Amino acid sequence: MYPVAHLSQVAYSMCNRSCSRAFFFSLVLGLGGLPSLASARFWTLGVSQDVGYETKIQTDDGWVDDGYTATTLRLGIDHPVRVFEDVLELDPTLQVSYLNYFSASELSELTFDIGMPLKLTLNPNFHDSLTLTATARRELGDVIVVDNNEQQTSTVLDITALYRRERIFRHPRLKLELGYGYEHTFYDASQYRYLDRDDHRFSVALLYAFNTAVEGGLRTSYKREIYAESIQSDSDTWRVDGLVRWRLTGRIEAQVSAGYETVTYADGGSDGGPIFAAQIDYRPQERWLFSLSGSHELDAGVAAGEGDARTSKA
């Protein structure tokens, strides 16, 4: 399993009741490894470059729409540490990201992310598999408050479970995926307790294998976002989309999805709109990976004091 760099952004931007819409393209490169002095393993360096556009950002000059770039470096090991006949694996990573807004330069920032994912994979038989992943991350990034940006450290605990059934209703081409995720975020500084939150995510996908290279189907998901203090507004996000996964060659894979997403807030507000995503991966060698993706999405916000502002992550 090769570790791939992805943006993990800690920065927060302020938007109004409508959810922010981000359209971005991402280029991810997995680079060759450097020999580890401690063992025969290799360290790998991943690089990703994101280009995007975000709406309803709060700046010193008021609300603006702005484009951004985000460059991420990710240091990890080329193969996770595996034990118990490859059932359990550990994949430590260090990630550094620089986010740069084109106009709102005062919001540009450098963030750090140290992660320690632990994954358990069970295959009781040929048709079923269950993957459990637990991750603890320490993140350092900007928290944007009124007339001030401050660097703050937070801890994120994430647990996910994915069950995959390769054959349902005795049909050899039908597949079922059931997912659940729980994420708990809390800040070291007590004055930012109002940003502490719990996220619960549920997903169901029914897929059909057209052949050994192409599968597609429908997917639906639900996310419940709960904040520690009532100053924030909890939210519920529903998403329905269709997706197609295609292995073009032994080195090239692609995935396309499109659908609709709606967000409702505890105080009665709501928003919704179309969403889509596309990604293509190319692996010319074992230690190299090129990935290009683009998407349009909705991000739920939270009440943040005066003006009923919302906070969103792009």
Side-chain angles (χ1 to χ4, degrees), residues 34 57 79 130 223 277:
L34 303 175
I57 308 170
H79 296 288
L130 176 64
K223 177 182 177 182

Side-chain angles (χ1 to χ4, degrees), residues 107-272:
L107 301 183
S108 299
E109 60 155 353
L110 184 69
T111 64
F112 298 87
D113 182 328
I114 300 176
M116 193 69 66
L118 185 65
K119 183 166 73 173
L120 175 66
T121 302
L122 302 176
N123 297 95
N125 54 57
F126 178 75
H127 299 298
D128 299 272
S129 66
L130 176 64
T131 302
L132 305 174
T133 305
T135 304
R137 302 196 311 270
R138 290 286 287 171
E139 300 179 339
L140 174 65
D142 278 2
V143 174
I144 300 174
V145 294
V146 178
D147 298 326
N148 189 26
N149 295 0
E150 298 181 357
Q151 285 276 323
Q152 292 294 327
T153 303
S154 63
T155 300
V156 180
L157 304 177
D158 187 275
I159 298 174
T160 61
L162 177 64
Y163 168 76
R164 183 176 175 93
R165 174 73 175 177
E166 295 293 335
R167 182 175 181 175
I168 61 174
F169 307 127
R170 297 185 179 181
H171 198 295
R173 293 180 179 269
L174 282 178
K175 302 178 182 181
L176 176 69
E177 292 183 355
L178 302 176
Y180 170 74
Y182 169 74
E183 182 176 283
H184 177 61
T185 303
F186 57 96
Y187 284 81
D188 293 354
S190 59
Q191 64 265 36
Y192 293 108
R193 177 173 169 75
Y194 65 91
L195 291 177
D196 295 355
R197 72 178 189 275
D198 293 309
D199 295 345
H200 298 271
R201 308 178 302 273
F202 303 87
S203 65
V204 178
L206 182 62
L207 305 173
Y208 181 82
F210 298 96
N211 52 51
T212 57
V214 181
E215 67 177 18
L218 293 176
R219 175 176 57 188
T220 183
S221 64
Y222 166 74
K223 177 182 177 182
R224 174 66 172 168
E225 199 170 64
I226 305 171
Y227 283 83
E229 296 187 358
S230 58
I231 186 176
Q232 311 296 358
S233 184
D234 300 341
S235 66
D236 298 281
T237 302
W238 283 97
R239 170 184 293 197
V240 178
D241 60 354
L243 73 155
V244 176
R245 298 168 182 161
W246 185 13
R247 181 183 294 273
L248 287 79
T249 70
R251 299 181 182 274
I252 302 177
E253 297 181 5
Q255 177 170 309
V256 178
S257 64
Y260 190 86
E261 187 174 67
T262 180
V263 183
T264 57
Y265 299 97
D267 59 8
S270 64
D271 194 19

Side-chain angles (χ1 to χ4, degrees), residues 32 98 201 308:
Y98 179 68
R201 308 178 302 273
D308 192 27

Side-chain angles (χ1 to χ4, degrees), residues 41 77 79-83 86 88-92 117-119:
R41 294 185 178 273
I77 54 179
H79 296 288
V81 178
R82 294 188 174 97
V83 295
D86 294 343
L88 189 66
E89 67 178 44
L90 179 66
D91 186 15
L118 185 65
K119 183 166 73 173

